[in-house]
């Protein structure tokens, strides 16, 4: 009885531990989902605000907003492309590590641009615009290089796989139509090569057999007997006149 109670207690503890583990995992997954939703919502709000500043205002503020919007759009597109490709191609992990290093510079630049938007010294900010443009373009160019290289690699693999698949399909289609090859072989007549001379033994045998077949049962030198045709066995046609019987006097 004590052993049964101990086993039941162990099972109860195991079920409780399993329930706690599943609950914790579900809570963490829900928390990650909520954080992801909040991040996407915040990102959407910031992008909308930047677009509004780009179209609504002019001067230094619009220039800074345009730089931030271009930087964020390029970095986000590159991140999505590399993460999606790394899930299927392990060789993109190194490219993803390089992008993470580049992303640190991108976040630093975005923070500087955001800080300069609130700077009241517009003249000083305008003096820094040229350097900020160059810095932004360098980061965007590096991000686009990684993104297009990953896309070209994926397209190359897809083209190679499609070419191999087309070759396999052509072979399978030919195997499924095997009867067409058999029909063509059955309809072709065997022909002797153009430069082949006839066999002398075969020619002599044929020349010896042909006169015998023409003479039939009669001797080789006996002439054929010529016999008159029986008029009663001749066919009668409707346009012929009937033969009058001979009269005897």
């Amino acid at each position: 009885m004590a052993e049964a109670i101990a086993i039941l207690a162990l099972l109860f503890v195991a079920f409780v531990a399993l329930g706690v583990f599943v609950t914790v995992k579900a809570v963490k997954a829900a928390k990650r989902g909520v954080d992801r939703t909040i991040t996407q919502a915040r990102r959407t709000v910031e992008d909308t605000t930047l677009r509004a500043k780009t179209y609504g205002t002019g001067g230094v503020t619009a220039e800074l907003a345009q730089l931030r919007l271009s930087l964020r759009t390029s970095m986000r597109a590159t991140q999505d492309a590399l993460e999606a490709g790394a899930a299927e191609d392990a060789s993109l992990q190194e490219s993803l590590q390089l992008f993470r290093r580049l992303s640190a510079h991108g976040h630093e630049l975005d923070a500087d641009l955001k800080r300069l938007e609130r700077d009241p010294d517009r003249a000083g900010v305008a003096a820094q615009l040229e350097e900020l443009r160059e810095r932004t373009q360098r980061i965007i160019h590096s991000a686009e290089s990684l993104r297009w290289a990953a896309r070209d690699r994926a397209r190359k693999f897809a083209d190679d796989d499609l070419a191999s698949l087309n070759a396999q399909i052509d072979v399978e289609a030919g195997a499924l139509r095997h009867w067409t090859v058999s029909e063509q072989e059955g309809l072709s007549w065997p022909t002797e090569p153009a430069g082949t001379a006839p066999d002398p033994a075969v020619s002599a045998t044929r020349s010896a057999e042909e006169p015998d077949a023409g003479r039939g049962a009669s001797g080789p030198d006996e002439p054929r007997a010529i016999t008159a045709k029986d008029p009663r066995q001749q066919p009668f046609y409707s346009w012929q006149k009937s033969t009058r019987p001979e009269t005897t006097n």
Side-chain angles (χ1 to χ4, degrees):
M1 179 63 70
E3 294 178 354
I5 294 175
I7 292 174
L8 291 176
L10 289 175
L11 290 175
F12 176 76
V13 172
F15 281 124
V16 171
L18 181 62
V20 172
F21 176 76
V22 172
T23 303
V24 171
K25 295 291 288 183
V27 170
K28 288 183 178 180
K31 184 176 181 300
R32 286 195 299 269
V34 172
D35 293 340
R36 190 181 303 110
T37 303
I38 293 175
T39 302
Q40 291 178 354
R42 185 185 297 114
R43 184 182 302 167
T44 302
V45 172
E46 290 179 356
D47 291 346
T48 304
T49 304
L50 290 175
R51 289 190 179 90
K53 289 181 180 180
T54 301
Y55 295 123
T57 60
V60 178
T61 303
E63 184 70 20
L64 293 174
Q66 182 62 43
L67 292 176
R68 288 189 64 194
L69 186 61
S70 301
L71 177 66
R72 292 162 65 92
T73 303
S74 178
M75 297 295 287
R76 190 178 304 126
T78 304
Q79 181 179 4
D80 294 341
L82 291 178
E83 289 180 352
E88 300 178 355
D89 188 1
S91 61
L92 291 179
Q93 291 294 334
E94 184 176 357
S95 300
L96 192 58
Q97 293 295 331
L98 292 175
F99 172 76
R100 288 170 182 169
R101 293 174 56 186
L102 181 66
S103 182
H105 291 278
H107 285 297
E108 182 180 357
L109 176 59
D110 185 71
D112 291 343
L113 293 173
K114 187 176 182 180
R115 177 180 53 82
L116 291 174
E117 287 180 354
R118 299 187 298 267
D119 195 329
D121 186 8
R122 295 302 178 187
V125 174
Q128 300 180 17
L129 280 179
E130 186 63 30
E131 187 269 335
L132 292 173
R133 291 193 195 97
E134 182 182 357
R135 186 178 171 189
T136 304
Q137 289 300 323
R138 290 173 60 188
I139 295 177
I140 291 177
H141 175 73
S142 298
E144 289 180 348
S145 297
L146 287 175
R147 182 171 71 251
W148 286 110
R151 290 178 178 176
D152 292 342
R153 180 181 178 86
R155 188 181 302 108
K156 175 62 176 176
F157 286 161
D159 292 341
D160 293 343
D161 183 69
L162 180 59
S164 177
L165 180 61
N166 289 336
Q168 294 177 5
I169 290 176
D170 292 340
V171 173
E172 181 64 19
L176 292 176
R177 297 191 183 97
H178 62 88
W179 66 86
T180 58
V181 179
S182 300
E183 290 178 356
Q184 292 177 359
E185 291 178 355
L187 293 176
S188 61
W189 291 92
T191 58
E192 296 181 356
T196 304
D199 190 357
V202 176
S203 301
T205 304
R206 291 180 179 175
S207 60
E209 291 178 354
E210 289 177 357
D212 294 340
R215 285 193 291 270
S218 60
D221 298 332
E222 293 179 359
R224 294 185 179 180
I226 300 176
T227 57
K229 297 182 180 180
D230 189 356
R232 291 175 296 179
Q233 296 180 358
Q234 296 297 323
F236 179 77
Y237 301 98
S238 59
W239 61 82
Q240 293 180 346
K241 295 182 179 181
S242 60
T243 306
R244 290 185 295 179
E246 296 180 358
T247 55
T248 56
N249 295 328

